[in-house]
Amino acid sequence: RFLYSALWTVYRLMWSRPAPCVSYRSFSAKPLAGESTALVYTTHGEPSQVIKLGTLQLPSLGDKSALVKMLAAPINPSDINMIQGTYAILPDLPAVGGNEGVGQVIEVGSKVKTVKVGDWVIPRDAGLGTWQTLVVLSADDLVTLPSDIPLLSAATLGVNPCTALRMLSDFEELKPGDTVIQNAANSGVGQAVIQIAAAKGVHTINVVRDRPDLSQLTDRLKVMGATHVIKEETLRRPEMKELFKFYPRPKLALNGVGGKSATELLRHLQSGGTMVTYGGMAKQPITVPSALIFKDVKVRGFWVTQWKRNHGHNDKALCSMLDELCTLIRAGKLSPPACTEVSIKDFHKALDNAMKPYISTKQVLVM
């Protein structure tokens, strides 16, 4: 009778508590073996409403799998879009949020040869769910990184710097003294473009939205290596002609915004130049001006996830790209964006900040 009474009391206490999590086991002070604390969504919608902190039971470790302890994972715009259900690829639901991050291998299956215990690893593809403390993944889905680079550099390496390097390398043959123009210059991609271009001796004209702290932002981007920082409105003003008296017109334009901003970038390209679109933050279509006819400009698109999939059979291409980026990091020529580290338990704060306009720091979940 006493045992029955005690069990009934525990049962009532568990189910009378608020339930922000997927499983009541996530209230445990210490997670059980074989479990992972994760940010899970069971339906698409606004992240602040659909993301829940929960406990997941890990699958058993297969012969070709690895158990990874996640160390840090950023919140990127693509993560938000995936949760909202508007991204190009969507995982099956329920799903764990996050497409990027760095973890450490703590156990491997008997047939795993590509990673070993202690290695730092990042996901090879999107949609694997990085917002969790532990995860079992196929070893083929992991890429090793050197552990002598800063943790935040490793956590934010797989998406934005890769996007920046590929766009600077694959569409125009840029030489020292050439010019690149980009909007969304304060984004993660934009900051990587500034630094990689500067390391190659390429000038950058960087377009940002007007904001209260514009002067401080301009100074920060110039310290990174930005040649010029201008407001969106300046693209349509005579000052641009003055600018091109000192620097050649851009061979390459990088568009992460769309709408009128993209149209203006196209107008300033040199004849035969290329605009590469990698994002559409304005959620507005691109209107192509007469430069398409009279200047024979090219309009291209780029998605780093597709690049990785196209080169999935070629580890050499991916490793070569990561090696180049890590070399820049070690040389002090490529730093991560300004980051705010937030405990996974305080995820609501991180999600709220990631959704705010004019936030200059990237939210990074630490496990």
Side-chain angles (χ1 to χ4, degrees):
R1 183 177 300 173
F2 174 80
L3 178 60
Y4 174 86
S5 176
L7 289 172
W8 175 246
T9 299
V10 170
Y11 177 87
R12 284 189 303 164
L13 284 172
M14 286 194 304
W15 291 102
S16 64
R17 297 174 74 171
C21 307
V22 172
S23 165
Y24 67 80
R25 289 179 298 178
S26 61
F27 287 108
S28 302
K30 186 176 181 180
L32 302 175
E35 292 182 335
S36 175
T37 300
L39 298 180
V40 183
Y41 57 105
T42 59
T43 185
H44 295 299
E46 288 307 305
S48 60
Q49 298 175 8
V50 301
I51 289 286
K52 308 294 181 184
L53 182 66
T55 301
L56 301 180
Q57 189 69 40
L58 292 173
S60 57
L61 188 69
D63 290 343
K64 299 180 180 180
S65 299
L67 177 61
V68 178
K69 172 180 169 44
M70 293 303 301
L71 302 175
I75 299 177
N76 291 321
S78 58
D79 303 325
I80 301 297
N81 295 152
M82 192 172 280
I83 296 165
Q84 292 169 330
T86 61
Y87 200 57
I89 55 172
L90 300 174
D92 294 334
L93 299 179
V96 176
N99 293 297
E100 185 182 28
V102 63
Q104 187 170 36
V105 177
I106 58 175
E107 190 177 351
V108 297
S110 59
K111 296 182 180 180
V112 173
K113 305 296 182 184
T114 52
V115 299
K116 62 184 184 300
V117 172
D119 280 350
W120 276 16
V121 290
I122 60 175
R124 183 183 294 270
D125 202 356
L128 297 180
T130 55
W131 297 351
Q132 54 185 319
T133 54
L134 291 168
V135 60
V136 174
L137 294 170
S138 167
D140 292 338
D141 289 332
L142 300 171
V143 181
T144 59
L145 284 185
S147 58
D148 64 344
I149 62 174
L151 178 66
L152 292 177
S153 293
T156 57
L157 186 64
V159 176
N160 294 329
C162 291
T163 297
L165 180 59
R166 293 268 56 88
M167 292 194 299
L168 290 170
S169 304
D170 295 351
F171 296 94
E172 290 287 345
E173 185 177 347
L174 297 173
K175 299 175 182 177
D178 285 339
T179 306
V180 172
I181 189 169
Q182 65 165 342
N183 55 26
N186 188 39
S187 67
V189 171
Q191 293 181 46
V193 165
I194 289 169
Q195 296 176 85
I196 296 169
K200 295 176 179 291
V202 173
H203 304 298
T204 55
I205 300 171
N206 302 279
V207 185
V208 298
R209 293 180 293 176
D210 197 5
R211 64 192 68 204
D213 64 341
L214 180 63
S215 177
Q216 295 96 314
L217 173 61
T218 298
D219 291 343
R220 186 159 59 84
L221 295 182
K222 286 188 173 181
V223 167
M224 290 182 186
T227 312
H228 289 280
V229 180
I230 62 175
K231 298 185 293 185
E232 289 275 359
E233 295 78 7
T234 307
L235 286 171
R236 297 178 282 277
R237 292 178 179 167
E239 293 99 290
M240 294 301 293
K241 290 183 180 179
E242 293 297 315
L243 189 61
F244 294 133
K245 290 180 180 179
F246 301 96
Y247 302 97
R249 282 188 175 269
K251 274 187 179 180
L252 182 66
L254 305 178
N255 168 44
V257 177
K260 293 180 180 179
S261 178
T263 303
E264 295 301 327
L265 293 187
L266 278 167
R267 293 187 200 278
H268 294 300
L269 279 174
Q270 64 177 246
S271 294
T274 301
M275 183 178 79
V276 182
T277 292
Y278 66 92
M281 289 189 288
K283 298 182 180 179
Q284 296 174 355
I286 298 170
T287 301
V288 179
S290 58
L292 181 69
I293 302 170
F294 300 114
K295 294 170 70 175
D296 190 27
V297 297
K298 300 177 284 291
V299 180
R300 300 288 302 275
F302 181 77
W303 184 30
V304 73
T305 297
Q306 191 60 53
W307 186 94
K308 290 177 181 178
R309 291 179 177 183
N310 291 345
H311 294 79
H313 60 286
N314 184 5
D315 277 350
K316 185 177 180 181
L318 179 58
C319 290
S320 175
M321 175 174 63
L322 294 175
D323 285 346
E324 182 174 351
L325 292 170
C326 288
T327 298
L328 290 173
I329 292 169
R330 292 191 194 96
K333 296 180 179 181
L334 178 60
S335 301
C339 296
T340 299
E341 298 178 55
V342 183
S343 167
I344 190 172
K345 295 178 181 178
D346 296 325
F347 70 96
H348 276 301
K349 181 194 302 182
L351 287 173
D352 289 344
N353 285 333
M355 300 285 286
K356 290 178 181 176
Y358 306 121
I359 293 292
S360 296
T361 59
K362 181 169 288 293
Q363 305 298 302
V364 177
L365 299 167
V366 291
M367 315 305 174

